[in-house]
Amino acid sequence: MGYAEVYQRWQEDPEGFWMEAAEAIDWVKKPSKALFDENAPLYQWFADGELNTCWNAVDRHVAAGRGDQVAIIHDSPITGRQARITFAELKEKVARLAGALARQGVGKGDRVVIYMPMVPEAAIAMLACTRIGAIHSVVFGGFAANELATRIDDAAPKAVIAGSCGIEPGRIVPYKPLLDQAIEMAARKPEFCVILQRPEQEADLIPGRDFEWEAFQEGAEPADCVPVRGDHPCYILYTSGTTGQPKGVVRPTAGHAVALNWSMKNIYGVDPGEVYWAASDVGWVVGHSYIVYGPLIHGNTTVLFEGKPVGTPDAGTFWRVIAEHDVKVLFTAPTAFRAIKREDPTGEFVRKYDLSGLRALFLAGERADPDTVEWAKAQLGVPVIDHWWQTETGWAIAANPLGIELLPVPVGSPGVPMPGYDVRILDEGGKELSAGELGAIAIRLPLPPGTLSTLWNADQRYVEKYLSTFPGFYETGDAGYRDEEGYLYIMARTDDVINVAGHRLSTGQMEEVLASHPDVAECAVIGVADELKGQVPVGFLCLNAGSGREPAEVVAECVQLVRERIGPVAFFKQAVVVERLPKTRSGKILRGTMAAIADGRQWKMPATIDDPAILDEIEAALATLGYPRGNGAAG
Ligand code: COA
Ligand code: AMP
């Protein structure tokens, strides 16, 4: 059956389609039906079924006689370590940690924040939570204490599980002091912490609050899998919104298991037992869906890679991992390939390794620029598949479904809608646009299984942020168009989210931080096209009258402030002091025009601009940073 037929089958009978997909999941109690729409526009899938995610990801493979198959390969060029964990070993480790958590009072519905580097214990902690029905919320290690505190306050976790440190090229990042600061700042303190001591840097523990990973589990009874309802949250994952308050995406258990399992074969084209590698981080949605849950639920071996595409030790690391572990499918962000291409444009490292086992490369997280896609295709000789999705959806909205049929998707397009997604391009009034016309991309409700059901403790905010602009639709926040053949093109965000090295960041949040600097009267942050990272943030600062400060000093303090408050991942390194910001007559800052000037793109003088002369000042200020750089290709 080809893609068109599969998509049509879903269109004709969406519930039947997903009930059939649900058969591949082990249920304690089968759901009576697929869709629960009583609370529309909030929807649930398989709500009255009962199941356990950890059972589906781990135990069932052991029960089926695959206990000796490797579940997780930890490949850590940054520490020089490797480990292989079979499904049977994984079950034992997860059950023991789950037992220890339960002994300490963590149960169904309790939240657990996980703040860990790319070590197997991160996946073990996630699975241990789902085993006992606790709801985990993983926080990416590149976020600062303040961001961790915001998430702790929103999720109100009973416990935090953390690593003592992360390791970045050339430096150790001590996580524990960040955790201590975050707990200090948070209003809702966790009862206890479990700390994995890494040999690179052990952490000081606070007696009575902190437990060492091994000691915590000593003598604990292994816990069994606790059945939960289909609509029970499997996890909360915070993502950037338009303000400093991150949005807690809630992922219900049943839809998550069903959709991810379906996607492994149909989208990625892998069979159980094969090695699948998503080179991302467990702190991002790609890590949740395709390092941990998707591959494990489907019975694949997953690779947990602790390193960078370049510099650990060289631009051949990815190829070594593929050759050494017989990786069949690789998934990463285009920025990783841009980094490799920059260091090894002729592919010398590529040819050092036997990559004959690799069947496809999938890219997502940001726009895949045609240069990078063509380079990857030429070097690897396998299909390079761009696919489009977001934290909220948890799996691909649009892709080229390799496991169903490899479509002739033009370079520049992430393909066609996956079953479950009725994608529409709408104008500002919600009217559907024709082929080739650029508009807001929306998805007709209900969203499919595996997507978010709401925001944590914030149904109203979910409705306001996502479901209100176009009634009956979910607003993706992306703008784009569909061509005559039905292929989608994702062009830009309609909000202030920017994408830096595949990391989703909010310029609004950075502005909030800058505005808190005592000498800053007003500010704006824009995303500027960058050859390597896709986009990088650039700040504009107006200082308080009579502040008398050296602009360079304030800029340096602001750069440091964003690093301290949001984290190094924000990559806020450039700012300029200007007299005024360009605004419309109603006072709206013209960020889009500023970004166009920085990128050297064509732009039109906005009709509503208050004082056009300000744009000359902006142009001059950007010139001091070297913009435009004529490298907008990636953006
Ligand atoms: N803990 C602490 N700090 C971290 C971190 C972590 N887990 N991850 C990144 N950082 C820091 C980096 O050290 C860097 O700090 P610096 O400014 O002091 O150098 C900063 O955050 C920015 O990191 P990043 O944007 O990742 O840049 P980089 O130069 O370290 O690496 C790439 C560039 C392209 C190699 C890297 O971004 C990459 O591999 N990206 C893939 C993106 C990805 O996996 N996206 C997920 C969706 S698929
Ligand atoms: P995140 O929630 O971090 O996964 O970021 C999701 C956002 O990244 C999307 O809303 C898009 O703006 C962007 N994005 C993800 N994948 C793609 C893609 N294949 N092409 C273009 N943009 C993408």
Side-chain angles (χ1 to χ4, degrees):
M1 209 186 309
Y3 160 77
E5 220 176 315
V6 173
Y7 193 79
Q8 194 187 343
R9 267 190 56 208
W10 163 73
Q11 280 180 311
E12 283 167 0
D13 179 14
E15 296 205 44
F17 183 92
W18 291 118
M19 280 306 262
E20 196 183 310
E23 282 170 23
I25 290 302
D26 280 8
W27 299 88
V28 175
K29 182 178 152 236
K30 291 212 163 170
S32 63
K33 57 175 182 169
L35 184 65
F36 290 70
D37 58 3
E38 297 77 6
N39 295 323
L42 304 184
Y43 297 87
Q44 289 288 353
W45 290 93
F46 315 111
D48 67 356
E50 282 182 25
L51 73 164
N52 181 280
T53 300
C54 184
W55 170 273
N56 277 283
V58 184
D59 299 49
R60 69 162 168 167
H61 304 307
V62 180
R66 305 163 68 95
D68 292 338
Q69 182 195 315
V70 174
I72 298 177
I73 297 170
H74 183 225
D75 189 306
S76 171
I78 206 149
T79 61
R81 285 197 286 273
Q82 274 198 17
R84 283 175 176 70
I85 301 173
T86 65
F87 275 104
E89 289 163 347
L90 185 60
K91 178 182 163 188
E92 197 265 321
K93 287 176 193 291
V94 169
R96 208 160 78 91
L97 178 61
L101 287 168
R103 181 174 65 180
Q104 201 64 28
V106 177
K108 200 190 270 192
D110 288 334
R111 274 81 58 212
V112 176
V113 161
I114 298 174
Y115 187 56
M116 294 188 98
M118 286 291 285
V119 290
E121 286 82 357
I124 291 167
M126 292 163 78
L127 291 162
C129 289
T130 56
R131 191 171 187 87
I132 53 175
I135 303 165
H136 64 68
S137 186
V138 183
V139 179
F140 177 62
F143 282 124
N146 186 61
E147 286 295 295
L148 182 55
T150 311
R151 287 155 174 78
I152 289 176
D153 268 338
D154 197 70
K158 198 166 224 173
V160 177
I161 304 179
S164 60
C165 66
I167 302 153
E168 285 292 292
R171 77 190 156 106
I172 289 174
V173 184
Y175 282 6
K176 182 58 174 24
L178 297 173
L179 173 61
D180 290 343
Q181 275 174 42
I183 294 177
E184 184 71 34
M185 283 179 212
R188 309 171 82 172
K189 318 250 186 241
E191 286 173 19
F192 68 96
C193 302
V194 181
I195 309 294
L196 176 78
Q197 296 284 22
R198 301 198 76 189
E200 287 74 16
Q201 181 154 350
E202 296 206 350
D204 293 333
L205 303 186
I206 297 178
R209 190 199 74 183
D210 300 340
F211 299 93
E212 186 275 322
W213 178 271
E214 279 303 327
F216 177 70
Q217 302 183 50
E218 219 168 273
E221 277 292 308
D224 282 335
C225 294
V226 174
V228 299
R229 278 175 55 95
D231 55 5
H232 180 76
C234 175
Y235 68 78
I236 306 165
L237 179 59
Y238 289 89
T239 188
S240 295
T242 45
T243 65
Q245 182 63 33
K247 300 187 278 198
V249 165
V250 174
R251 190 86 58 213
T253 300
H256 179 237
V258 171
L260 290 186
N261 186 70
W262 183 88
S263 72
M264 291 305 296
K265 175 69 189 167
N266 290 285
I267 299 182
Y268 300 101
V270 286
D271 287 314
E274 293 187 320
V275 183
Y276 178 93
W277 177 27
S280 178
D281 189 287
V282 287
W284 306 119
V285 70
V286 176
H288 282 63
S289 295
Y290 293 112
I291 295 175
V292 181
Y293 291 113
L296 294 181
I297 289 172
H298 193 247
N300 289 98
T301 299
T302 186
V303 181
L304 214 126
F305 172 76
E306 188 181 24
K308 303 265 172 180
V310 294
T312 57
D314 54 39
T317 307
F318 272 28
W319 323 134
R320 176 193 58 77
V321 172
I322 292 169
E324 201 168 321
H325 306 305
D326 195 20
V327 171
K328 299 296 184 203
V329 167
L330 168 65
F331 175 173
T332 192
T335 191
F337 265 72
R338 288 198 294 270
I340 294 171
K341 175 174 155 230
R342 193 165 73 165
E343 298 241 325
D344 183 24
T346 57
E348 265 175 55
F349 279 108
V350 184
R351 284 182 294 280
K352 283 193 190 161
Y353 297 92
D354 175 8
L355 304 182
S356 57
L358 187 73
R359 290 201 296 260
L361 166 68
F362 282 78
L363 298 172
E366 57 173 329
R367 187 167 165 263
D369 55 290
D371 279 358
T372 303
V373 172
E374 295 294 4
W375 183 84
K377 263 192 200 166
Q379 295 300 332
L380 301 178
V382 297
V384 175
I385 299 177
D386 180 17
H387 61 328
W388 167 60
W389 51 294
Q390 44 187 210
T391 305
E392 290 85 345
T393 66
W395 63 286
I397 307 168
N400 192 345
L402 180 64
I404 298 175
E405 175 188 8
L406 188 66
L407 298 166
V409 178
V411 173
S413 162
V416 288
M418 290 297 93
Y421 293 100
D422 180 352
V423 178
R424 306 289 174 105
I425 316 290
L426 306 177
D427 73 6
E428 279 172 10
K431 196 171 78 54
E432 202 163 344
L433 294 168
S434 329
E437 287 185 310
L438 186 71
I441 315 184
I443 302 164
R444 237 176 104 94
L445 294 172
L447 292 174
T451 56
L452 83 172
S453 56
T454 187
L455 297 178
W456 180 249
N457 276 342
D459 287 349
Q460 197 48 40
R461 189 172 174 217
Y462 172 54
V463 173
E464 275 164 21
K465 293 278 173 206
Y466 294 95
L467 310 181
S468 296
T469 310
F470 306 114
F473 293 85
Y474 165 88
E475 188 184 4
T476 63
D478 285 311
Y481 64 94
R482 201 194 287 269
D483 71 11
E484 296 286 348
E485 272 82 52
Y487 294 115
L488 285 168
Y489 292 79
I490 314 304
M491 304 310 288
R493 289 286 304 191
T494 56
D495 55 16
D496 67 357
V497 165
I498 59 169
N499 211 309
V500 181
H503 308 317
R504 172 166 158 184
L505 300 163
S506 158
T507 55
Q509 182 185 17
M510 294 184 212
E511 288 175 5
E512 282 178 22
V513 173
L514 298 175
S516 74
H517 187 286
D519 294 310
V520 172
E522 206 179 12
C523 62
V525 176
I526 58 169
V528 178
D530 181 81
E531 209 171 1
L532 177 64
K533 295 187 180 244
Q535 284 181 299
V536 291
V538 171
F540 296 84
L541 312 168
C542 301
L543 303 191
N544 285 318
S547 89
R549 297 285 315 276
E550 266 304 311
E553 269 177 34
V554 180
V555 166
E557 287 166 14
C558 283
V559 166
Q560 190 53 29
L561 200 62
V562 175
R563 195 175 168 95
E564 273 167 22
R565 295 266 183 88
I566 301 178
V569 67
F571 209 75
F572 183 81
K573 309 220 172 193
Q574 304 176 86
V576 279
V577 170
V578 291
E579 282 296 316
R580 304 169 295 172
L581 294 171
K583 291 184 185 167
T584 62
R585 281 188 285 277
S586 60
K588 211 167 152 271
I589 298 174
L590 290 160
R591 294 181 183 79
T593 311
M594 293 160 81
I597 295 173
D599 292 348
R601 280 183 274 129
Q602 287 230 315
W603 54 278
K604 270 214 297 267
M605 181 64 72
T608 54
I609 193 164
D610 186 34
D611 178 1
I614 301 180
L615 291 177
D616 295 334
E617 294 167 26
I618 294 296
E619 201 168 349
L622 280 164
T624 65
L625 296 176
Y627 292 109
R629 295 181 177 171
N631 64 8

